[in-house]
Amino acid sequence: MEGPFVIVGGDAAGMSAASKAKRDDPDRDVVVFEKGEWVSYAACGLPYYVKGDVETLDDLVTVTPEAFVEERGIDLRTNHEVTAVDRADRTVTVAGPDGEFEQAYGDLLIATGAQAIVPPFDGIDLDGVFTLHNMNEAAQIRHYLGLDTPTVNLPESGYGEAATEYAAAEQPDAVAVIGGGYVGIEMAEAFAAHGLDVHLFEMLPHTLQPFGAEAAVVVEEHLREQGVELHLDTAVDGMVGDEHVEAIAAGDLTVPVDLALVGVGVAPNTELAEAAGIELGPTGAIATDEYGRTNDEHVYAAGDNAEMTHVVTGDPDHVPLALSANRAGRAIGATVAGDPTPVGEIAGTAAVKAFDLEVARTGLVDEETAREAGFDPVSVTITAESRAHYYPGGEEIQITLLGDREGERVLGASMVGREGVPKRIDTVATALHAGLTVQQLSYLDLSYAPPFSPVWDPVLTAAKVLDGKL
Ligand code: FAD
């Protein structure tokens, strides 16, 4: 008897695994424990919900809990937290609304995701200081902005109380976004859309660190044009205020604000796994093999809490993004259903909208990182038009492309422009997965018509220039 497939965590990785396993092996029990009330929700849409482009939190839910149970036959239990794993007995301990119990498993998937890092800032507990990693936080931020109540059954966890309090408070005028990563940039846009003065603090010299300095410089100019006050190279010390946040303190600087969004990154949720003797990898996330297995053959890990292999370096890496979580979960679902399926490799391909700009990256985007990974990198930065020069409405795209001098392989790229950027980063991501050389990339037969690109697509132009340099 193989025992049920038990999954801890009911979002991207967990529900993808549950759905695939149940579809491929309908006779096997699939049990999912989710400690919150939301399952299968798109956290990626939260900034756009705060902004108002997405109307309600419900819109962010891909499949409802009822559909998972009734249509897919999955034993999904929300409000159930797994508190321990006993690998010798193959059981998990679960704390639910009716108390604690044990659940046996044949295979276990730990898909507990990540959590927003909360730095030990002075005043971090003041009212009006938020992180943004789950649905409730997004709803609270909207309330704090004095916007409409979302039309959903919000979980109770302190929400009602906070909402009443916020409704009585004055609407904020100025906001500090602490951290210039992609969530910080998306939230700067969301706050600006509601007319707030936005101050963005970044302790490094540039925003969007994983996208490389070349792209960041263009983004920063654009953010300033949009009225965002940038405080680069500026480490925040803390928040000032009695009850509510009233200012941000950073060295000699004190900036009055009445709302603060802390977006300084995420940390993988590994406590449950660690306590059960599951090994972590060099990045601090859970170490897994090509099938998503941990050091215990019956325990898998996937999503924001797990490492995956980087397609360029071949090393374990931790890049907490949605597609890799969904994909790894799905592969593990197939594997436990009897069809061993690798979780695949990652290139760290990502895109972000920064007001009117599209920014994207894949692979290794700066020479220093490439050198550290053992390559002899050569890079070029070019600008080209997004459409044929005579066709109206074209915009400049800036591409930084990296190749390896020795193997002449493509190593990665970053791009920024006003249109057609994610499509083009995907071309380079494909080249990375295929292990193409820079010359092979420059010879690809890409689509062309005047409204979409010049005859030589900007990616081909960048590859030709880099090939010459190599
Ligand atoms: P999660 O989505 O974090 O789900 C883990 C689940 O496990 C949670 O529901 C949690 O409650 C539950 N859980 C944890 N511990 C336990 C326990 N002990 N017992 C029971 N349940 C437990 N990615 C992109 O690719 N593109 C984007 O544009 C993008 N934008 C984002 C914007 C924001 C604001 C945020 C927060 C994330 C964004 N992401 C984006 C990242 C993306 O949302 C994640 O990569 C993805 O959700 C990871 O899925 P997951 O299943 O691994 O983890």
Side-chain angles (χ1 to χ4, degrees):
M1 210 19 226
E2 57 187 351
F5 177 31
V6 171
I7 296 164
V8 191
D11 195 25
M15 295 320 297
S16 298
S19 301
K20 180 68 177 159
K22 194 69 190 172
R23 194 178 315 125
D24 287 6
D25 186 1
D27 294 335
R28 190 167 187 189
D29 287 339
V30 175
V31 187
V32 181
F33 295 112
E34 164 54 53
K35 70 176 181 185
E37 290 203 15
W38 298 99
V39 296
S40 191
Y41 50 90
C44 314
L46 293 175
Y48 303 104
Y49 163 72
V50 174
K51 186 180 172 195
D53 291 343
V54 175
E55 261 180 47
T56 75
L57 283 175
D58 278 346
D59 292 337
L60 298 178
V61 175
T62 315
V63 184
T64 63
E66 295 74 31
F68 278 118
V69 176
E70 286 157 24
E71 291 161 28
R72 302 197 184 181
I74 293 165
D75 183 357
L76 167 64
R77 322 237 195 119
T78 52
N79 290 315
H80 283 72
E81 179 171 6
V82 173
T83 55
V85 179
D86 184 333
R87 293 199 287 128
D89 280 355
R90 284 208 224 157
T91 57
V92 293
T93 307
V94 187
D98 301 324
E100 201 172 89
F101 62 94
E102 314 254 289
Q103 165 71 51
Y105 66 83
D107 291 298
L108 177 69
L109 168 61
I110 303 180
T112 46
Q115 58 187 294
I117 293 172
V118 181
F121 288 145
D122 293 339
I124 190 84
D125 294 327
L126 286 172
D127 200 19
V129 180
F130 297 94
T131 54
L132 179 66
H133 198 260
N134 61 45
M135 305 278 263
N136 291 3
E137 287 168 335
Q140 291 185 6
I141 294 170
R142 265 190 75 91
H143 257 289
Y144 205 84
L145 292 170
L147 301 166
D148 296 344
T149 318
T151 54
V152 290
N153 289 328
L154 277 167
E156 279 160 17
S157 57
Y159 175 79
E161 216 175 288
T164 318
E165 196 183 313
Y166 297 159
E170 264 182 51
Q171 290 184 12
D173 295 320
V175 57
V177 175
I178 297 159
Y182 74 90
V183 173
I185 300 280
E186 289 172 352
M187 288 303 290
E189 181 184 330
F191 290 128
H194 294 297
L196 273 73
D197 293 336
V198 181
H199 293 265
L200 193 143
F201 293 83
E202 170 55 60
M203 64 187 285
L204 297 174
H206 289 292
T207 56
L208 289 179
Q209 194 269 337
F211 292 72
E214 282 79 8
V217 168
V218 179
V219 173
E220 286 153 13
E221 201 183 310
H222 183 61
L223 291 174
R224 290 190 186 100
E225 279 165 15
Q226 296 289 329
V228 175
E229 181 119 4
L230 285 183
H231 305 274
L232 301 178
D233 248 330
T234 306
V236 165
D237 299 317
M239 289 88 194
V240 183
D242 288 330
E243 206 180 316
H244 297 265
V245 58
E246 288 166 23
I248 298 296
D252 297 339
L253 207 62
T254 305
V255 179
V257 296
D258 26 33
L259 173 57
L261 190 276
V262 180
V264 297
V266 296
N269 286 328
T270 55
E271 300 78 7
L272 185 68
E274 267 185 288
I278 297 295
E279 282 169 14
L280 306 187
T283 67
I286 300 172
T288 56
D289 71 7
E290 63 174 320
Y291 294 98
R293 254 185 220 112
T294 65
N295 56 311
D296 180 326
E297 63 170 328
H298 296 288
V299 182
Y300 297 76
D304 282 5
N305 60 0
E307 289 182 341
M308 292 179 81
T309 303
H310 196 284
V311 71
V312 179
T313 65
D315 294 331
D317 207 346
H318 178 237
V319 185
L321 290 173
L323 174 64
S324 40
N326 281 281
R327 204 183 56 181
R330 189 171 191 277
I332 291 166
T335 299
V336 300
D339 176 19
T341 304
V343 294
E345 296 179 317
I346 52 167
T349 311
V352 56
K353 177 175 178 299
F355 291 83
D356 299 334
L357 287 183
E358 302 173 353
V359 200
R361 54 107 48 231
T362 190
L364 309 177
V365 305
D366 64 82
E367 293 196 7
E368 199 184 322
T369 318
R371 252 188 296 277
E372 280 166 15
F375 295 101
D376 182 6
V378 180
S379 67
V380 292
T381 298
I382 63 126
T383 51
E385 286 288 312
S386 62
R387 306 179 187 187
H389 68 90
Y390 51 84
Y391 192 89
E395 298 282 356
E396 260 187 8
I397 294 184
Q398 176 186 294
I399 300 184
T400 299
L401 185 67
L402 271 80
D404 182 27
R405 194 184 297 276
E406 208 168 301
E408 304 208 345
R409 194 178 145 196
V410 184
L411 295 178
S414 67
M415 302 183 189
V416 54
R418 283 176 189 249
E419 69 169 10
V421 169
K423 152 186 146 78
R424 290 179 167 100
I425 209 70
D426 288 345
T427 307
V428 181
T430 308
L432 297 182
H433 282 276
L436 297 190
T437 63
V438 173
Q439 192 173 65
Q440 285 170 329
L441 175 61
S442 77
Y443 282 145
L444 286 183
D445 180 19
L446 300 183
S447 64
Y448 158 65
F452 307 123
S453 76
V455 179
W456 291 92
D457 186 88
V459 170
L460 300 177
T461 302
K464 278 198 299 177
V465 176
L466 180 58
D467 192 35
K469 200 169 169 188
L470 276 167

